[in-house]
Amino acid sequence: MELRMRIKPLSGRAGALILLLCMSGMRAETARYFVPEESERGFFVANIAKDLGLTAEELSARQARLVSEGEKQYLQLNQHTGDLMVREQMDREELCGQSEPCL
C-alpha cells in the first residue's frame, strides 16, 4: 500500500506571514566603537550587553563572540560581563595604511 500526500503551494500572503513570524525573533544590531590608537591591553572599550539591551547572562546564553577579518584578534569580549576590551595594541598605519578615514 502506497501513501501519497499532495502538498498545495502556499499563497503569497501565507508564505510572507510564515516568513515574518520566523524572522520576528531575530534581530541584528550594529554598534560602532572608537578605540584610541595604541590603547594598552585591557583598555575598556564598552559594555556590549548594556549597549544591546541585554543582560550579561543573555549575552552568554547566546554565545556571543567576536569574529576578526584579519589574523590578529585586537579585541576581546568577556561573555560573563559583556565587557569589550583591547586584547592587542592597534597601530593605525598597520591597519589602514594611508587611507582616510580609518574604520
Side-chain angles (χ1 to χ4, degrees):
M1 179 179 199
E2 188 177 320
L3 179 63
R4 290 186 180 191
M5 290 182 63
R6 193 168 166 206
I7 300 174
K8 238 170 126 176
L10 293 173
S11 71
R13 242 187 234 172
L17 178 62
I18 290 172
L19 182 62
L20 178 65
L21 291 173
C22 290
M23 292 182 65
S24 66
M26 295 181 206
R27 92 179 192 208
E29 295 286 336
T30 300
R32 289 186 181 203
Y33 299 98
F34 298 93
V35 179
E37 185 178 355
E38 298 182 7
S39 295
E40 296 293 324
R41 287 184 74 165
F43 177 82
F44 176 80
V45 177
N47 185 289
I48 298 227
K50 184 189 230 183
D51 293 347
L52 296 175
L54 301 171
T55 64
E57 292 80 21
E58 290 172 317
L59 192 71
S60 182
R62 293 178 184 212
Q63 298 179 351
R65 65 187 185 279
L66 299 175
V67 178
S68 176
E69 290 181 7
E71 293 177 20
K72 293 183 180 180
Q73 185 79 32
Y74 290 101
L75 301 171
Q76 69 183 23
L77 175 65
N78 182 327
Q79 283 189 346
H80 302 293
T81 63
D83 289 343
L84 181 65
M85 295 173 290
V86 171
R87 179 179 186 168
E88 191 169 323
Q89 258 188 357
M90 294 174 241
D91 180 23
R92 184 197 176 291
E93 286 79 23
E94 182 182 324
L95 291 170
C96 300
Q98 298 301 315
S99 64
E100 284 288 337
C102 180
L103 301 173

